[in-house]
Amino acid sequence: MILITGDTHGTIDYDKIHILNTRKILTSNDYLIIAGDFGAIWNANTLDRDLYPYEKLPFTVLFIDGNHENFDILNSYPVTKWNGGNVHIIRKNIIHLMRGQVFNIEGKTIFTFGGGTSIDKYRREEHISWWKEEIPSKEEINEGIINLSKYDNKVDFIITHSCDSNTLNNPSLFFYGNKCEAYEDNYALDNFENIATYKKWFFGHYHVDAVISDNKVALYNDIKELD
């Protein structure tokens, strides 16, 4: 089983996972994908404690990065291959799915692309509570384009943290009650919206659960099954 949910922010929005764990019988052969802002990789001094609630789960936790991750720590893990794409293996059952990769999981092809914009970065401190690596680089975008081309630009699912700029115009999508503004990360995702064919595109970031269209879904507290 492959499940997906929105931001967890370490333990701040962990309750949905705790509830899932008490209601479903899941094993290491099952997967939960977090659509960015995993947030448990934040402080080097409390890393083991922050990861522990996820590490003790009986299933495999996969996450893409959002804008609220400590990229100094995250990028210190060695890059390895897993199910066809580049990853950081954080713990045995906690894996970071890197940007611009296509993974084959249980017969499904999944394109991943993390990153987002911290709209409150003006009150954050670089390398303490904000990292410029939250914004996708040209190299990461190009890698995503190349990897998609290997699949003839067709995948089953796309999972990102933010969304493409056109999706922001949907009235169902808002951020803390305000209309969403397009940033550099949204325009970066336009590259993939323009070339990719897919069944569903899931994203987090906006703290709302909403079906945007037939093939676009925003997630926060909801947990969906990829099928």
Side-chain angles (χ1 to χ4, degrees), residues 23-226:
R23 292 182 179 177
K24 283 187 177 290
I25 300 174
L26 300 173
T27 72
S28 60
N29 294 320
D30 299 304
Y31 303 92
L32 174 67
I33 303 174
I34 297 169
D37 278 6
F38 174 54
I41 300 175
W42 187 255
N43 188 320
N45 295 326
T46 61
L47 185 62
D48 289 338
R49 185 188 69 193
D50 296 338
L51 287 171
Y52 179 72
Y54 298 90
E55 192 174 7
K56 71 178 183 178
L57 292 169
F59 48 86
T60 301
V61 176
L62 310 174
F63 71 95
I64 63 169
D65 53 273
N67 50 298
H68 294 316
E69 323 286 358
N70 185 324
F71 287 96
D72 291 333
I73 299 175
L74 190 58
N75 292 330
S76 71
Y77 289 91
V79 177
T80 187
K81 284 287 184 182
W82 181 84
N83 285 36
N86 290 339
V87 300
H88 294 122
I89 297 180
I90 310 302
R91 294 290 189 270
K92 183 179 179 180
N93 71 320
I94 305 173
I95 300 173
H96 170 225
L97 308 179
M98 297 178 68
R99 297 175 185 173
Q101 308 300 306
V102 179
F103 296 94
N104 289 279
I105 306 174
E106 299 297 323
K108 298 175 174 64
T109 51
I110 302 172
F111 176 74
T112 59
F113 204 89
T117 296
S118 297
I119 61 174
D120 60 349
K121 66 182 179 182
Y122 64 90
R123 62 180 177 84
R124 294 176 176 270
E125 185 177 351
E126 187 168 4
H127 296 291
I128 301 296
S129 57
W130 176 78
W131 288 261
K132 63 182 180 181
E133 289 85 358
E134 68 179 25
I135 301 300
S137 68
K138 291 181 179 178
E139 292 76 16
E140 290 167 335
I141 295 169
N142 288 336
E143 184 174 2
I145 292 171
I146 291 169
N147 286 333
L148 276 172
S149 71
K150 295 175 182 177
Y151 289 80
D152 295 323
N153 294 327
K154 184 177 181 179
V155 292
D156 293 316
F157 301 100
I158 293 179
I159 299 174
T160 60
H161 182 53
S162 59
C163 65
D164 62 285
S165 64
N166 186 59
T167 297
L168 291 176
N169 296 320
N170 189 288
S172 299
L173 195 59
F174 53 87
F175 199 35
Y176 290 111
N178 299 314
K179 187 179 184 302
C180 299
E181 181 180 346
Y183 293 99
E184 195 173 347
D185 55 291
N186 305 110
Y187 295 122
L189 293 175
D190 288 348
N191 289 279
F192 311 121
E193 171 68 0
N194 291 337
I195 64 173
T197 301
Y198 54 90
K199 296 177 182 176
K200 292 279 186 182
W201 181 327
F202 295 94
F203 59 94
H205 188 48
Y206 300 98
H207 295 193
V208 62
D209 295 295
V211 176
I212 305 300
S213 65
D214 289 342
N215 60 2
K216 289 263 180 69
V217 180
L219 292 173
Y220 185 32
N221 288 314
D222 283 354
I223 298 177
K224 303 287 188 182
E225 183 175 354
L226 296 191

Side-chain angles (χ1 to χ4, degrees), residues 18-25:
H18 173 71
I19 293 170
L20 168 70
N21 194 37
T22 59
R23 292 182 179 177
K24 283 187 177 290
I25 300 174

